């Protein structure tokens, strides 16, 4: 009894009161590209990028491929690049994941009115990993812990696809999970949608074109929400979902 | 001297034996209690070169042979069960005939599609009331995929088969398709929960090939990140175990303590998983006076609040009753199966590649933890003791007021015709990376091994004779990696 009370006392309040405004200290998140022009012909950042996430002229970073390894930041002779602690990087379309100079004005996820009406007060998620490294899986689990407490918004992880509204995919999609992913999707009642989590699920990431990867499922079923990162911070996921559902700031 | 077990051997100096002599040597080394670390194969024209690496005291020794895959050789698993996973891999990956192998089942269905997954050769148990329970590949939680089949008599598990391969991405092939000096992001995702373990093993092997001695401050930074990873993952495991036995204060408190541990990693290197912390010939870790004091305060918080929840967890009769005596692996079985890391140590087998102390561990020794029970309770206890040992170690290291800045030397040219082996004691157990260069200094082979490859069979046998409802806690107590096995 006293032991339990001590635990309760030491625990205090752990939840993050305002997940919409939280900026995790030290986190390498949303890139900021400085306005200075690149030196003529310089491709130092492109050369060191492990996932071909960078385009030059004009310079832009594809958050759907980026693994936030910081190599480009160290390589840039002009010190134009920075990874800021901003975790809110989700996007509702693949094209919106491209970040150019002036990313501060980048369009945030516009609430999907249809989805907001259906799921704004209750959304059930079924997660399937297909080639995830347990990075995304651990961070998705963390969204439900006492710190991030996703349940406070009426959003829950469920055990069966039959109970789920959204299929949350992580990993580059392996050939040996091809049928299982489809079975899970087909078991879900409509209306349903897909959320792609992490560079692997969004673009193949570090494993794009690897021998065990087959991404045909995502050619057919286009995700409604993209959550970038390697792995994404729980706040990136939580905010992307809340934005999509139009939950007030 | 490197702080991890690492060695680069000129290929010409590796002992090459005829297959019979190689087999005899493996048997002799087992007699002499040298421990097999890895056995793997590499295609060489029409033949396959087999390499066996043993730990002998604080050193690594390698011996090679070459076989025609069609003729193959006669299996060793019956005499040395610890080799079962290596021989299965040789058969599956390289088509080597391993005659008489008693358990020649797929390790990961490499190169196959899902249709093949239905053809796993499960053993069957026949009997009037024997039934099978199939689980997976998709499980009920947010977890990686894998398939389990239980042969049950009522609730009683007679036999469990673990069928993996759903996570096979093609990691080893990918590691040969990129610049060998820039593979850190891939090493970090071989098993993403062991980012530091795999990245350090890669860096140490590459540095051995390049003949580069990494600066002591970078090694210490890696070692600090490795212990933070161990603390974080042990806390995650305890939180999961507490949730699985219905001890909710444990789930909540161990869970939030893990947040403190991984947020500390994030302060030091920008990622909660330590991505970017380890780079060949350098490090991406920042530790200035302010961050060090913050880290020390977090270590104190983890010790203080950790002790409170440990006290509650260990004295809760419901927890002890649920975990004690469940999923037992004896010391004898652990040794025979070649279990490594915490699965071995919690069964009383004192293997820890940080011992005997070498490199920075001579100056900063870390306590070896073991338990004797070999059951779920022992595995939980071991995690609690290892968290304490790592926190004590971090406290002592940080008391010397180190400061680090991210820095990297250029990676020198890789020496030609060398085999480099590096072994790092990750939180689950030993992580092994073997890199070999050809005559022109280009990388010709990359073999990465997660401890999970060796420990999955331990879980399968631990569940035998238990109830089917004991499986989730057995599984959580071993806490093995699916993607680390499937590669």
């Amino acid at each position: 009894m006293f032991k339990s009370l001590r635990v309760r006392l030491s625990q205090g309040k752990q939840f993050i009161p305002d997940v919409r405004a939280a900026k995790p200290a030290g986190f390498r998140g949303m890139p900021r590209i400085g306005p200075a022009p690149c030196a003529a012909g310089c491709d130092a950042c492109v050369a060191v990028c492990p996932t071909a996430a960078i385009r030059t002229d004009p310079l832009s970073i594809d958050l759907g491929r980026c693994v936030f390894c910081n190599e480009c930041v160290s390589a840039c002779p002009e010190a134009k690049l920075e990874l800021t602690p901003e975790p809110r990087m989700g996007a509702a379309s693949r094209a919106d994941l491209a970040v150019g100079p002036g990313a501060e004005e980048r369009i945030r996820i516009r609430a999907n009115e249809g989805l907001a009406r259906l799921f704004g007060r209750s959304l059930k998620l079924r997660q399937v990993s297909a080639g995830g490294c347990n990075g995304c899986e651990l961070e998705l689990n963390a969204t439900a812990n006492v710190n991030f407490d996703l349940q406070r918004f009426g959003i829950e992880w469920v055990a069966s696809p039959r109970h789920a509204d959204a299929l949350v995919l992580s990993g580059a999609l392996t050939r040996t999970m091809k049928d299982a992913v489809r079975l899970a999707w087909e078991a879900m009642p409509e209306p349903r949608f897909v959320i792609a989590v992490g560079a692997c699920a969004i673009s193949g990431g570090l494993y794009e074109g690897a021998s065990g990867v087959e991404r045909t499922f995502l050619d057919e079923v286009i995700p409604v929400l993209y959550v970038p990162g390697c792995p994404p911070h729980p706040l990136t996921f939580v905010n992307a979902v809340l934005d999509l559902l139009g939950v007030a700031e | 001297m490197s702080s991890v077990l690492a060695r680069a051997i000129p290929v010409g100096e590796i002992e090459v034996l005829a297959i019979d002599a190689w087999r005899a040597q493996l048997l002799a080394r087992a007699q002499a209690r040298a421990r097999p670390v890895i056995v793997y194969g590499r295609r060489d024209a029409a033949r396959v070169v087999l390499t066996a690496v043993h730990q002998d005291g604080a050193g690594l020794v390698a011996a090679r042979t070459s076989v025609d895959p069609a003729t193959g050789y006669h299996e060793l698993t019956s005499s040395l069960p610890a080799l079962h996973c290596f021989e299965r891999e040789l058969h599956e990956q390289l088509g080597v005939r391993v005659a008489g192998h008693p358990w020649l089942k797929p390790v990961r269905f490499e190169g196959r599609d899902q249709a093949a997954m239905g053809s796993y050769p499960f053993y069957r148990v026949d009997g009037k009331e024997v039934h099978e329970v199939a689980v997976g590949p998709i499980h009920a939680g947010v977890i990686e995929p894998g398939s389990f089949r239980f042969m049950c008599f009522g609730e009683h598990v007679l036999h469990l088969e673990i069928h993996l391969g759903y996570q096979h991405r093609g990691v080893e092939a990918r590691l040969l398709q990129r610049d060998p000096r820039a593979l850190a992001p891939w090493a970090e995702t071989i098993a993403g929960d062991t980012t530091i373990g795999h990245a350090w093993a890669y860096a140490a092997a590459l540095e051995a090939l390049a003949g580069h001695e990494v600066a002591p401050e970078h090694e210490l930074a890696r070692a600090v990140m490795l212990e933070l990873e161990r603390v974080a993952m042990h806390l995650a495991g305890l939180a999961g175990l507490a949730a699985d036995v219905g001890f909710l204060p444990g789930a909540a408190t161990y869970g939030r303590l893990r947040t403190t541990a991984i947020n500390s990693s994030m302060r030091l290197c920008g990622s909660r998983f330590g991505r970017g912390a380890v780079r060949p010939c350098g490090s991406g870790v920042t530790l200035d006076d302010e961050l060090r004091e913050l880290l020390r305060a977090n270590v104190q918080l983890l010790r203080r609040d950790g002790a409170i929840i440990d006290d509650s967890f260990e004295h809760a009769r419901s927890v002890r009753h649920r975990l004690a005596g469940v999923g037992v692996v004896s010391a004898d079985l652990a040794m025979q199966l070649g279990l490594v890391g915490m699965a071995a140590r919690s069964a009383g087998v004192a293997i820890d590649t940080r011992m005997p102390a070498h490199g920075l561990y001579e100056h900063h020794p870390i306590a070896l933890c073991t338990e004797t029970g070999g059951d779920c309770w022992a595995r939980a206890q071991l995690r609690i003791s290892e968290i304490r040992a790592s926190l004590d170690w971090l406290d002592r290291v940080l008391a010397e007021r180190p400061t680090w800045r991210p820095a990297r030397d250029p990676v020198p040219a890789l020496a030609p015709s060398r085999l480099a082996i590096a072994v790092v004691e990750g939180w689950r157990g030993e992580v092994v990376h073997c890199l070999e260069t050809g005559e022109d200094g280009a990388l010709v082979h990359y073999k990465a091994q997660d401890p999970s490859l060796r420990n999955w069979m331990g879980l399968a046998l631990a569940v035998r004779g238990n109830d089917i409802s004991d499986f989730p806690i057995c599984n959580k107590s071993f806490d093995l990696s699916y993607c680390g096995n499937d590669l």
Side-chain angles (χ1 to χ4, degrees):
Chain A
M1 174 71 182
F2 286 112
K3 290 186 199 299
S4 303
L5 284 173
R6 277 182 77 206
V7 171
R8 190 66 201 83
L9 204 63
S10 79
Q11 182 80 346
K13 282 184 183 161
Q14 294 290 335
F15 70 100
I16 299 168
D18 187 0
V19 293
R20 309 292 268 155
K23 302 269 179 288
F27 176 61
R28 283 198 305 267
M30 179 62 108
R32 182 185 293 144
I33 301 179
C38 294
C42 177
D43 68 347
C45 54
V46 176
V48 296
C49 181
T51 51
I54 307 178
R55 296 267 174 281
T56 50
D57 203 22
L59 191 60
S60 77
I61 298 178
D62 178 1
L63 297 181
R65 307 180 74 90
C66 182
V67 292
F68 301 84
C69 64
N70 218 38
E71 298 289 321
C72 55
V73 176
S74 327
C76 179
E78 263 68 49
K80 268 173 72 88
L81 299 168
E82 186 193 351
L83 295 177
T84 71
E86 173 61 65
R88 292 178 67 168
M89 296 185 281
S93 83
R94 186 69 183 81
D96 286 352
L97 288 167
V99 175
E104 291 78 9
E105 295 104 60
R106 179 171 164 259
I107 311 162
R108 288 231 163 127
I109 300 167
R110 209 174 308 152
N112 181 316
E113 276 176 37
L115 294 179
R117 197 177 60 248
L118 283 165
F119 304 121
R121 292 194 294 171
S122 166
L123 177 69
K124 309 289 177 201
L125 308 170
R126 169 65 237 203
Q127 203 275 339
V128 173
S129 165
C133 72
N134 206 23
C136 288
E137 294 74 12
L138 281 167
E139 287 299 48
L140 290 173
N141 266 317
T143 62
N145 71 16
V146 292
N147 307 105
F148 301 101
D149 189 19
L150 186 69
Q151 296 90 320
R152 69 179 113 165
F153 302 105
I155 304 168
E156 271 182 302
W157 297 102
V158 294
S160 168
R162 294 243 187 257
H163 304 155
D165 308 308
L167 179 64
V168 179
L169 285 177
S170 61
L173 298 201
T174 51
R175 185 164 295 130
T176 43
M177 275 295 283
K178 196 175 100 179
D179 299 349
V181 168
R182 190 169 293 277
L183 271 173
W185 173 247
E186 284 168 1
M188 288 169 56
E190 293 188 32
R192 60 191 176 186
F193 61 100
V194 166
I195 303 176
V197 169
C200 285
I202 298 174
S203 67
L206 292 162
Y207 298 98
E208 186 190 25
S211 58
V213 169
E214 187 181 324
R215 297 173 53 75
T216 44
F217 176 76
L218 282 175
D219 295 336
E220 291 163 39
V221 183
I222 306 297
V224 165
L225 188 61
Y226 298 87
V227 184
C230 187
H233 195 284
L235 288 170
T236 309
F237 181 82
V238 172
N239 277 296
V241 174
L242 295 181
D243 286 342
L244 184 75
L245 298 180
V247 174
E249 298 276 323
Chain B
M1 186 184 176
S2 174
S3 303
V4 295
L5 286 182
R7 189 177 173 201
I9 316 168
V11 169
E13 289 174 23
I14 300 172
E15 192 176 13
V16 180
L17 300 165
I19 182 68
D20 290 348
W22 186 81
R23 287 184 79 254
Q25 192 190 60
L26 257 62
L27 291 163
R29 286 204 164 133
Q31 285 284 316
R33 298 204 157 260
R35 202 172 60 80
V37 171
I38 189 169
V39 180
Y40 70 95
R42 174 169 75 81
R43 253 190 212 99
D44 185 20
R47 297 180 71 81
V48 171
V49 175
L50 310 184
T51 306
V53 179
H54 283 73
Q55 183 183 4
D56 197 4
L60 296 168
V61 289
R64 283 195 153 158
T65 186
S66 156
V67 293
D68 173 353
T71 317
Y73 70 100
H74 203 273
E75 57 87 28
L76 284 158
T77 295
S78 303
S79 327
L80 307 173
L83 303 184
H84 80 93
C85 49
F86 305 129
E87 293 197 318
R88 287 163 60 194
E89 189 184 54
L90 286 174
H91 176 70
E92 182 179 57
Q93 206 170 48
L94 299 155
V96 176
R97 177 168 166 264
V98 186
H101 193 291
W103 194 281
L104 205 54
K105 301 190 180 199
V107 176
R108 58 176 75 99
F109 285 87
E110 195 164 331
R112 310 287 295 277
D113 60 14
Q114 188 155 19
M117 302 302 271
S119 65
Y120 186 90
F122 290 108
Y123 283 131
R124 279 189 50 183
V125 180
D126 283 327
K128 191 160 163 253
E129 288 177 48
V130 173
H131 64 104
E132 292 187 355
V133 179
V135 182
I138 297 178
H139 302 281
V142 179
I143 180 178
E144 295 178 70
S147 175
F148 304 98
R149 190 168 297 189
F150 302 87
M151 287 68 179
C152 298
F153 183 71
E155 290 290 298
H156 200 66
V157 179
L158 299 173
H159 174 59
L160 161 63
E161 293 225 25
I162 300 174
H163 160 203
L164 302 174
Y166 296 94
Q167 290 278 69
H168 177 66
R169 295 162 282 176
V171 172
E172 289 179 333
R174 175 51 47 106
L175 290 168
L176 286 176
Q177 291 163 349
R178 298 287 190 269
D179 179 355
R181 292 165 302 179
L183 295 176
W186 285 276
E188 289 174 341
T189 53
I190 289 172
D193 51 31
T194 313
T195 293
I196 305 295
H198 277 283
W200 193 357
Y202 154 67
L206 194 78
E207 286 153 7
L209 280 180
H212 178 94
E213 194 157 329
V214 72
E217 66 263 28
H218 295 329
E219 274 223 313
L220 191 59
R222 291 175 187 178
V224 163
M225 296 303 294
L226 186 73
E227 296 315 314
L228 279 173
E229 181 170 86
R230 190 182 321 278
V231 169
M233 287 311 300
H234 281 348
L235 286 168
L238 288 168
L241 210 48
D244 281 350
V245 302
F247 185 70
L248 297 185
T253 301
Y254 285 125
R256 67 98 175 169
L257 292 175
R258 168 178 175 262
T259 303
T260 301
I262 60 179
N263 283 354
S264 305
S265 294
M266 178 168 67
R267 292 303 294 267
L268 267 56
C269 76
S271 156
R272 301 192 344 142
F273 290 74
R275 305 280 162 92
V278 180
R279 286 295 179 264
C281 305
S283 128
V285 180
T286 306
L287 193 74
D288 55 22
D289 289 340
E290 188 196 338
L291 282 178
R292 189 181 57 247
E293 292 318 305
L294 183 118
L295 182 56
R296 290 181 76 175
N298 282 350
V299 167
Q300 291 313 329
L301 184 151
L302 290 168
R303 290 168 93 178
R304 189 188 66 226
D305 289 6
I308 295 170
I309 185 64
D310 290 346
D311 185 41
S312 174
F313 181 81
E314 291 179 306
H315 287 93
R317 263 178 289 179
S318 62
V319 172
R320 180 155 197 156
H321 181 74
R322 191 69 191 87
L323 297 180
V326 173
V328 180
V329 176
S330 67
D332 189 40
L333 183 65
M335 285 219 275
Q336 272 195 42
L337 285 179
L339 301 191
V340 294
M342 68 173 187
R345 289 195 290 276
S346 49
V349 181
I351 323 170
D352 186 327
T353 56
R354 293 169 297 174
M355 328 280 168
H358 51 284
L360 67 91
Y361 297 111
E362 276 182 283
H363 182 56
H364 297 293
I366 190 159
L368 169 68
C369 304
T370 53
E371 292 288 329
T372 50
D375 54 358
C376 290
W377 175 250
R379 287 186 286 275
Q381 289 274 295
L382 186 88
R383 297 184 94 161
I384 289 173
S385 341
E386 291 198 346
I387 290 169
R388 289 180 187 163
S390 295
L391 291 173
D392 289 350
W393 183 87
L394 285 166
D395 193 44
R396 288 199 306 274
V397 167
L398 296 171
E400 293 190 6
R401 303 174 61 80
T403 55
W404 308 314
R405 289 163 55 82
R408 245 191 276 181
D409 292 325
V411 181
L414 307 185
S417 302
R418 289 273 198 294
L419 171 67
I421 308 151
V423 185
V424 173
E425 193 69 28
W427 65 271
R428 238 184 225 113
E430 61 196 42
V431 172
V432 187
H433 284 220
C434 303
L435 281 69
E436 185 170 340
T437 51
E439 286 170 7
D440 56 355
L443 206 58
V444 294
H445 195 68
Y446 200 129
K447 179 81 205 126
Q449 181 176 287
D450 190 83
S452 307
L453 177 78
R454 309 193 64 184
N455 284 355
W456 276 110
M457 186 63 92
L459 170 62
L461 296 189
V463 172
R464 276 191 188 176
N466 289 257
D467 285 354
I468 194 164
S469 56
D470 293 330
F471 175 72
I473 55 173
C474 290
N475 191 23
K476 193 72 224 170
S477 72
F478 276 86
D479 216 346
L480 302 175
S481 172
Y482 300 75
C483 60
N485 181 87
D486 294 350
L487 297 175

